[in-house]
Amino acid sequence: FGVFLKPLTEDFGWSRGSVSGALAIAGLFTALFRPASGWLADRYDPKYVALTGVALGGAALIALSRINTLWQFYALFIVMGTGFTFASPATITKLVSAQFTRRRGLALSLAGSGSAIGETALVPFAAVVLTLGGWKSAYIALAIVLLVVVIPVAYLLLSVRGSGGEDDVSGGDSLNLAAEDKLPACAWAPDEGLGLRQAVKTPMFWGLSAGFFA
């Protein structure tokens, strides 16, 4: 977000506070829609929930390159934030956990690290593109990364069983983390683990909630 702050204020004459408001509003909508992303990941294949979110975020980035007014900027940040919510840890954790058992902790840590590394790498990438071609080109370049690189790779490599075992590809085999520990076809069934009513009665739930709130 910081890469685009100065060029946007200079091109449109908006204050930095006005531009930054989009990030605050997007964060609010992200919080509101996070439970929905978890519910969708439980009810449907989390792979497609995540890919739909990435596609929505990529489409919003393309649209951001065409904005003319502040309200358009705000609206598209809400759309983008909502899309990325569906590809959030709530969905990715479900996706990764369905493919690994024996070394699930390692797999989850790698998935989390990938997110942080990706965010770090995209900052200088966006800065270079912005310097060479302007902020509109930078938004389009980021969209291309999501739509042309991330979605096809994720579609081909990620697989979750949940339709009677028809999708029988194990990420554990390809990463050699849990090749001998494959999960059954119902690995991500909605009734797996504690339900919300049970979870809110445990100290662990409130401890995690407090940590994420902080």
Side-chain angles (χ1 to χ4, degrees):
F1 182 83
V3 173
F4 295 89
L5 185 60
K6 186 176 180 180
L8 285 172
T9 57
E10 291 178 346
D11 277 14
F12 293 105
W14 301 333
S15 69
R16 294 196 174 194
S18 296
V19 176
S20 299
L23 190 62
I25 293 175
L28 176 62
F29 274 82
T30 296
L32 293 174
F33 281 102
R34 186 64 62 87
S37 71
W39 180 83
L40 288 171
D42 279 338
R43 188 171 180 83
Y44 303 103
D45 189 330
K47 169 182 175 178
Y48 294 107
V49 175
L51 291 181
T52 299
V54 174
L56 190 61
L61 283 168
I62 293 176
L64 278 168
S65 69
R66 311 286 295 177
I67 60 169
N68 295 303
T69 63
L70 188 60
W71 75 263
Q72 292 174 337
F73 187 64
Y74 277 40
L76 288 171
F77 254 77
I78 291 173
V79 173
M80 182 170 61
T82 302
F84 291 157
T85 298
F86 294 135
S88 70
T91 305
I92 302 305
T93 298
K94 191 75 174 180
L95 181 59
V96 174
S97 297
Q99 300 189 64
F100 302 99
T101 52
R102 185 172 60 87
R103 304 182 72 179
R104 181 177 290 166
L106 175 59
L108 288 170
S109 68
L110 289 174
S113 298
S115 175
I117 292 171
E119 292 175 358
T120 303
L122 286 177
V123 172
F125 170 75
V128 170
V129 177
L130 189 149
T131 301
L132 296 176
W135 61 269
K136 294 182 179 181
S137 297
Y139 272 135
I140 293 176
L142 291 175
I144 290 174
V145 171
L146 294 179
L147 301 177
V148 179
V149 179
V150 174
I151 289 181
V153 170
Y155 180 81
L156 292 173
L157 295 184
L158 298 179
S159 178
V160 174
R161 302 180 192 88
S163 303
E166 295 175 0
D167 200 1
D168 194 21
V169 179
S170 173
D173 288 332
S174 60
L175 292 180
N176 197 28
L177 293 178
E180 72 281 12
D181 249 337
K182 298 179 180 178
L183 295 185
C186 58
W188 59 275
D191 58 353
E192 180 190 29
L194 297 180
L196 179 61
R197 292 183 179 180
Q198 296 170 303
V200 296
K201 297 178 181 179
T202 65
M204 179 70 74
F205 176 86
W206 293 107
L208 287 170
S209 298
F212 280 111
F213 179 82

